[in-house]
Amino acid sequence: MSLKDLELYKSHIHEYGFSVINTVFSEGEIEKIIDVLNSIDTSRENFRKSEDLFAIRQFLKEIPEIKDLIFNDNIKRIIKDIFGEKYFVVKSIYFDKPETSNWYVAYHQDLTISVDKKTELSGFGPWTTKQNQFAVQPPLNVLENIFTIRIHLDDTDENNGALKVVPGSHAKGIYRPETIDWTVEKENICKVEKGGIMIMKPLILHGSNRTTNGKKRRVIHIEFSDMELPEVLQWSERMN
């Protein structure tokens, strides 16, 4: 990845709200990550298991041994050159959409952040609590500042739940999905190769379809920010 390439990705994300970069991980690196995932005890409480989805919240905290495998030289360079010098992890989730999954996700924006406690704070709300984890909708500038990296452990296209996005919608503030005007907006399906990544801004309208080709879709989703929250609040998964 040359500096010129990274500049192109950066400007694409700025303009459209997303970008796909393939071959960020080698085949061997992906196999090592999968080996760790295959060896974990899946009964812990931060793990969510159903026929349609297996998910691990606070992924990097739950599986700390995977950190060195994920933050290879390519990812470190992407974070530094595309996001900025001071970005750190604020949230991480692992999703496994099995081959037979009927799981689909309607168009939405990612409007909440994970924090350490619930407190009355101007501009923050509504709040949700799941399994002692606190999520809140913060002021818009906090959301606008976040970048998400989605690491793909499988080839992903429209047949096994690749994300579909509305390019440019990240720059329109809070955008209710029911108000999408399809005479103006376009849909883009983000195909990503195994070992590739998708970078997106959480405010981009995104969703995914059901799996129809009987292939797995495993994704590691990590969010980054360089903003400190008001003193009384901390990012619950902050990690440099």
Side-chain angles (χ1 to χ4, degrees):
M1 274 181 297
S2 70
L3 201 58
K4 186 164 167 267
D5 290 338
L6 289 170
E7 281 300 321
L8 285 171
Y9 291 128
K10 187 176 179 174
S11 64
H12 195 274
I13 295 162
H14 181 75
E15 187 170 347
Y16 299 107
F18 75 100
S19 196
V20 172
I21 311 177
N22 284 312
T23 60
V24 172
F25 293 85
S26 68
E27 184 76 31
E29 286 173 320
I30 290 294
E31 289 314 315
K32 280 183 186 162
I33 290 171
I34 290 171
D35 283 346
V36 171
L37 289 166
N38 286 340
S39 69
I40 55 183
D41 164 20
T42 60
S43 64
R44 290 185 248 178
E45 66 169 345
N46 269 340
F47 297 2
R48 169 179 174 182
K49 223 173 173 177
S50 73
E51 280 177 27
D52 284 325
L53 186 72
F54 172 63
I56 304 176
R57 296 188 179 284
Q58 300 210 5
F59 177 63
L60 294 174
K61 275 187 177 176
E62 291 282 348
I63 321 289
E65 63 272 27
I66 214 155
K67 226 166 77 176
D68 290 343
L69 300 175
I70 286 173
F71 291 100
N72 68 3
D73 290 344
N74 284 341
I75 285 283
K76 286 180 189 163
R77 191 157 169 222
I78 284 164
I79 293 165
K80 186 167 142 308
D81 291 356
I82 295 182
F83 305 174
E85 292 276 356
K86 297 187 170 71
Y87 271 75
F88 47 85
V89 173
V90 295
K91 189 178 196 173
S92 60
I93 312 173
Y94 168 66
F95 293 108
D96 176 356
K97 198 172 178 179
E99 300 88 333
T100 54
S101 175
N102 272 321
W103 184 268
Y104 76 94
V105 180
Y107 267 111
H108 67 287
Q109 295 173 300
D110 291 342
L111 294 176
T112 64
I113 59 171
S114 296
V115 293
D116 62 338
K117 60 174 147 328
K118 183 174 179 180
T119 181
E120 284 301 314
L121 203 56
S122 172
F124 285 75
W127 290 80
T128 56
T129 311
K130 269 187 210 154
Q131 298 170 321
N132 253 353
Q133 296 182 33
F134 304 99
V136 65
Q137 185 169 326
L140 199 59
N141 67 316
V142 176
L143 294 170
E144 287 170 342
N145 186 256
I146 293 172
F147 286 92
T148 300
I149 291 182
R150 293 168 57 91
I151 300 165
H152 284 251
L153 307 183
D154 303 287
D155 288 323
T156 309
D157 61 21
E158 65 276 13
N159 301 309
N160 64 332
L163 274 199
K164 45 188 190 177
V165 299
V166 178
S169 54
H170 68 299
K172 299 181 179 179
I174 305 294
Y175 192 148
R176 298 288 167 209
E178 62 275 12
T179 67
I180 298 173
D181 179 355
W182 289 112
T183 61
V184 182
E185 305 287 19
K186 289 186 171 57
E187 178 174 279
N188 189 299
I189 304 268
C190 300
K191 296 183 187 183
V192 188
E193 293 169 12
K194 177 179 182 171
I197 67 170
M198 177 185 171
I199 299 174
M200 64 178 225
K201 299 297 285 175
L203 288 174
I204 193 170
L205 280 161
H206 59 285
S208 63
N209 294 336
R210 292 184 170 89
T211 300
T212 56
N213 64 358
K215 290 186 176 165
K216 280 177 100 65
R217 189 205 77 178
R218 292 166 294 182
V219 172
I220 296 166
H221 168 119
I222 308 176
E223 296 176 21
F224 300 82
S225 175
D226 66 350
M227 281 181 95
E228 299 302 340
L229 297 174
E231 278 162 35
V232 289
L233 265 195
Q234 301 292 326
W235 299 99
S236 66
E237 291 179 64
R238 181 178 179 145
M239 192 177 282
N240 291 326

